[in-house]
Amino acid sequence: MCFTADSPAFELTSRQYLRFLLNVLTGAEAIDFHDMAKQARMSEAEVEVHRLIQVVNDINHEMVYQEEVESSFQRARSSARRQIVLLAVVQAVVLVVTATLQRHHLMGFFVKSKIM
């Protein structure tokens, strides 16, 4: 979110601060069940049942969301693990190839130097 002031009356100096409160209600908290009860002519028990149903639905949606997040982390972790294993294999291959080439060149050097 970006907040700007269109009026020069709201300009702040370097030592002034602007504080505001943002209150966001979601799920069962956002529904005015008392107003719903008045409009639908429901008893307090019926209102409470509707509120509890909404709370259960909110919990269910949150659980589904958490499962999706966990699944995403599992995929990222397995992908990272595969990349680490691949990097280790590549390093081992490079090490073996380098050692083999060094051995070959050193053997040629020693033969030319008549050390061996």
Side-chain angles (χ1 to χ4, degrees):
M1 284 192 215
C2 181
F3 297 98
T4 59
D6 293 336
S7 170
F10 291 111
E11 289 184 22
L12 300 174
T13 63
S14 64
R15 295 193 180 246
Q16 290 179 324
Y17 296 99
L18 179 65
R19 177 182 268 173
F20 63 94
L21 175 66
L22 180 63
N23 189 8
V24 178
L25 299 176
T26 60
E29 297 173 347
I31 300 172
D32 186 7
F33 287 101
H34 294 294
D35 186 43
M36 185 176 73
K38 289 177 187 175
Q39 290 178 355
R41 295 187 180 119
M42 297 187 311
S43 69
E44 284 294 321
E46 291 173 320
V47 171
E48 186 64 18
V49 167
H50 281 288
R51 189 186 70 76
L52 291 174
I53 288 171
Q54 184 63 40
V55 168
V56 168
N57 287 337
D58 291 345
I59 291 170
N60 189 24
H61 289 296
E62 182 67 23
M63 287 174 55
V64 168
Y65 171 74
Q66 290 299 330
E67 288 172 359
E68 290 171 359
V69 168
E70 179 66 25
S71 174
S72 172
F73 282 131
Q74 289 284 347
R75 285 191 303 272
R77 188 169 48 227
S78 68
S79 173
R81 189 176 298 134
R82 279 193 302 267
Q83 291 173 354
I84 290 169
V85 168
L86 178 63
L87 180 62
V89 168
V90 168
Q91 286 177 339
V93 168
V94 167
L95 179 69
V96 168
V97 168
T98 303
T100 304
L101 288 175
Q102 282 182 344
R103 182 180 177 276
H104 175 71
H105 287 293
L106 281 174
M107 291 296 287
F109 173 75
F110 288 146
V111 168
K112 285 181 185 178
S113 300
K114 297 185 181 180
I115 296 174
M116 286 182 86

